[in-house]
Amino acid sequence: MSSEQGNLSFSVMTYNIRMDTADDGKNQWHLRKDRVINLIRHYAPALLGVQEALSQQMTDLQTGLTDYGSYGVGRNDGRDSGEFSAVFYRHDRFELMDKGTFWLSETPDTPGSKGWDAALPRICSWIKLRDRLTNKEICYFNTHFDHRGSVARRESARFILTRIQQITGSTIPAILTGDFNAGPESDAYRTILSNNILQDAKLLTELSHCGPQGTWCTFHVTSGIGDRIDYIFITPAHFKVLNHTHLIESENQCYPSDHLPVLAELIYND
């Protein structure tokens, strides 16, 4: 990597941090939040998308990640109820220009709406940013697909592509991250790649992918790694992928969450 690449490249992370629930016992949020925050601080992604964050978890992240601005809403009411699919951006690299959230449903502007065969309301939150180093605008989308409804996952993928095109006009560089609850053989994954606007960053990385193939892991290292369901997608017309990693940090044989964080380093094509 040239010195110019090193100066202009930036990293993106997607991380399902697991909701705060007493059911998790020794892995409940208040016992692991410092590990999650320290991991994010260590890798210092310029852009971060989190899934399953509840309102108090958002407060903890915002308190711990002081170098970042953030945007997100609760999926149940468009304010603070339910899980957030929130986005964070480093102040020193990006300036916020616009933001929004839509629901993955037939009524996407109705807070709390469920779509198709989904078990729960699902959202996509996005921000438009100005890169302070290049003066380029980029759009960053972050989501969490339904865990039950296969039709909902496919239709959510189709609808997100439509919204991305509407918001970016296909001219603004775009990044989509999230927990898609779907493997690479699924209809949802294939739908995202079907129109060639977005591509899977893992398939484009110039250096070989680092880490296990999967991203779902439970909290327990000894349980092994499950399916790959967390992704970073980029517009290959605008970005190159320098490297791509599924991070496996653990402590006392426990991961900080029940998903592995996904990290990619990007650079503009021009």
Side-chain angles (χ1 to χ4, degrees), residues 8-204:
L8 295 180
S9 68
F10 62 92
S11 57
V12 181
M13 177 185 288
T14 182
Y15 198 4
N16 183 324
I17 65 168
R18 172 66 175 169
M19 64 179 291
D20 183 10
T21 171
D23 292 343
D24 286 342
K26 68 175 185 177
N27 293 306
Q28 195 172 350
W29 174 249
H30 73 275
L31 298 173
R32 59 186 176 86
K33 66 179 181 180
D34 289 343
R35 294 170 58 204
V36 170
I37 290 168
N38 288 338
L39 183 152
I40 295 166
R41 283 176 175 166
H42 175 74
Y43 287 99
L47 298 174
L48 165 68
V50 299
Q51 301 86 40
E52 292 199 21
L54 299 175
S55 180
Q56 182 56 51
Q57 290 174 289
M58 284 296 298
T59 299
D60 292 337
L61 292 172
Q62 290 160 343
T63 301
L65 300 173
T66 55
D67 292 332
Y68 292 81
S70 64
Y71 165 69
V73 301
R75 68 188 184 189
N76 293 345
D77 63 358
R79 296 187 297 276
D80 56 11
S81 175
E83 296 177 10
F84 290 57
S85 292
V87 286
F88 292 74
Y89 58 95
R90 288 188 62 94
H91 291 299
D92 59 357
R93 182 65 190 258
F94 292 107
E95 176 187 2
L96 182 65
M97 306 295 289
D98 199 2
K99 61 188 179 182
T101 294
F102 52 88
W103 275 255
L104 304 180
S105 75
E106 297 95 328
T107 54
D109 299 316
T110 302
S113 58
K114 291 191 292 186
W116 305 284
D117 59 347
L120 296 165
R122 299 290 179 174
I123 57 174
C124 179
S125 289
W126 61 272
I127 49 177
K128 181 185 285 188
L129 302 166
R130 183 184 69 85
D131 188 328
R132 298 181 189 273
L133 293 186
T134 66
N135 211 38
K136 293 178 183 289
E137 288 187 349
I138 71 169
C139 286
Y140 177 33
F141 300 78
N142 183 53
T143 193
H144 186 186
F145 281 9
D146 199 66
H147 64 303
R148 294 268 177 85
S150 60
V151 173
R153 289 192 292 270
R154 184 190 68 228
E155 294 304 314
S156 294
R158 184 172 291 142
F159 182 66
I160 279 181
L161 290 175
T162 299
R163 274 292 171 104
I164 289 176
Q165 288 181 278
Q166 290 172 350
I167 292 167
T168 68
S170 299
T171 60
I172 300 174
I175 300 164
L176 169 65
T177 65
D179 172 359
F180 293 81
N181 272 312
E185 302 302 318
S186 66
D187 287 344
Y189 177 88
R190 290 172 174 171
T191 297
I192 290 170
L193 303 189
S194 64
N195 62 5
N196 298 317
I197 292 174
L198 293 174
Q199 183 56 272
D200 183 347
K202 183 173 180 285
L203 302 182
L204 299 178

Side-chain angles (χ1 to χ4, degrees), residues 178-246:
D179 172 359
F180 293 81
N181 272 312
E185 302 302 318
S186 66
D187 287 344
Y189 177 88
R190 290 172 174 171
T191 297
I192 290 170
L193 303 189
S194 64
N195 62 5
N196 298 317
I197 292 174
L198 293 174
Q199 183 56 272
D200 183 347
K202 183 173 180 285
L203 302 182
L204 299 178
T205 180
E206 294 184 356
L207 294 177
S208 296
H209 166 75
C210 185
Q213 293 301 308
T215 60
W216 184 76
C217 57
T218 80
F219 285 108
H220 310 292
V221 171
T222 54
S223 296
I225 306 295
D227 293 338
R228 181 178 180 227
I229 58 176
D230 304 88
Y231 302 89
I232 297 171
F233 297 101
I234 55 98
T235 48
H238 305 112
F239 294 112
K240 290 187 291 189
V241 182
L242 301 179
N243 54 66
H244 185 279
T245 306
H246 294 163

Side-chain angles (χ1 to χ4, degrees), residues 246-264:
H246 294 163
L247 301 170
I248 56 171
E249 272 78 351
S250 64
E251 182 179 291
N252 297 322
Q253 293 292 294
C254 284
Y255 295 114
S257 181
D258 62 352
H259 289 241
L260 300 181
V262 182
L263 183 71

